[in-house]
């Protein structure tokens, strides 16, 4: 069982996962509360979190639909945002592609965070697998719990958006990448990707600028090639 993997993970890693889960729980609360305040029944937002399980895409889809954009536009926005999961799956698919059940479950639970933690394990395949499942299952549970609680709590708050709960996820992600920003190539890749995304956001639909930010990886690729040449 995925939960059993936690016994092999070191304390600092478990601490980081716990901190991340706490942040995701808060964002789940925000999603449930905001959805309810927009007139969405709690069971619909709960079903969305259970069967879609894609934070940013859920916010985008819900926002477009409640603003009158229609189902097709909302689903399209969610699909565009989730296109980033294609390279994620290619990067860490080997971690959970061990059986048909694991493939289905592992693909459904694939997120930015589970991918990042699995990749951070490096070449240690066992640790990567343990980390992936621990993060994936933990976030799935807290996200759905947060959505349900937020859905009911939203009925008591006139405007949940003013609480700023939607800022929790970006803050958590920033905290996770901060240690990696000591490397110059990583900083350069991040800055290039950010610049491309910001520029594209003025004339491209939501979701596309984020995908274009992957251009920043060119810096990492060139740097890796340079190191190979030096070794040769």
């Amino acid at each position: 069982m995925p939960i059993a993997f936690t016994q092999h993970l070191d304390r600092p890693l478990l601490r980081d996962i716990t901190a991340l889960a706490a942040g995701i729980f808060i964002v789940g609360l925000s999603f449930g509360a905001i959805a309810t305040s927009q007139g969405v029944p709690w069971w619909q937002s709960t079903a969305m979190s259970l069967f879609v399980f894609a934070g940013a895409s859920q916010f985008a889809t819900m926002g477009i639909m409640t603003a009158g954009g229609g189902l097709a536009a909302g689903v399209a926005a969610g699909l565009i945002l989730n296109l980033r999961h294609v390279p994620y799956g290619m990067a860490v698919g080997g971690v959970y592609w061990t059986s048909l059940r694991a493939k289905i479950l592992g693909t459904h639970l694939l997120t930015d965070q589970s991918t990042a933690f699995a990749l951070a394990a490096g070449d240690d395949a066992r640790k990567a697998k343990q980390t992936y499942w621990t993060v994936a299952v933990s976030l799935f549970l807290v996200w759905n719990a947060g959505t349900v609680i937020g859905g009911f709590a939203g009925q008591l708050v006139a405007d949940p958006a003013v609480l700023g709960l939607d800022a929790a996820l970006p803050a958590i992600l920033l905290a996770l990448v901060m240690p990696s920003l000591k490397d110059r190539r990583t900083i350069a890749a991040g800055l290039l990707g950010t610049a491309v995304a910001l520029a594209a956001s003025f004339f491209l639909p939501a979701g596309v600028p984020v995908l274009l930010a992957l251009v920043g990886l060119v810096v990492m690729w060139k740097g890796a090639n340079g190191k190979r040449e030096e070794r040769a």
Side-chain angles (χ1 to χ4, degrees), residues 69-158:
L71 178 61
V75 172
L79 289 175
I80 290 174
L81 280 172
N82 274 351
L83 283 176
R84 69 189 189 281
H85 286 190
V86 175
Y88 290 173
M90 295 173 66
V92 300
V95 170
Y96 58 82
W97 282 37
T98 54
S99 67
L100 179 59
R101 182 176 62 178
K103 288 178 182 180
I104 295 174
L105 183 60
T107 300
H108 181 57
L109 300 183
L110 181 68
T111 62
D112 306 73
Q113 297 84 6
S114 58
T115 300
F117 271 84
L119 291 176
D123 297 327
D124 189 336
R126 182 185 181 188
K127 184 177 181 181
K129 183 177 182 179
Q130 295 171 344
T131 302
Y132 179 84
W133 283 111
T134 301
V135 173
V137 173
S138 298
L139 298 192
F140 181 78
L141 293 176
V142 299
W143 174 260
N144 280 278
T147 299
V148 173
I149 297 173
F152 285 104
Q155 301 176 28
L156 307 175
V157 181

Side-chain angles (χ1 to χ4, degrees), residues 37-61:
S37 71
Q38 295 296 319
V40 179
W42 71 269
W43 63 268
Q44 288 187 10
S45 58
T46 298
M48 192 178 190
S49 287
L50 185 64
F51 296 110
V52 177
F53 186 51
S57 295
Q58 288 183 224
F59 273 107
T61 300

Side-chain angles (χ1 to χ4, degrees), residues 185-208:
R185 286 191 299 111
T186 302
I187 295 176
L191 291 175
L192 176 59
T194 300
V196 171
L198 285 175
S201 66
F202 289 103
F203 55 88
L204 291 178
V208 177

Side-chain angles (χ1 to χ4, degrees), residues 29 35 156 161 167 190 199 217 230:
L29 285 174
L156 307 175
L217 294 177
E230 289 178 4

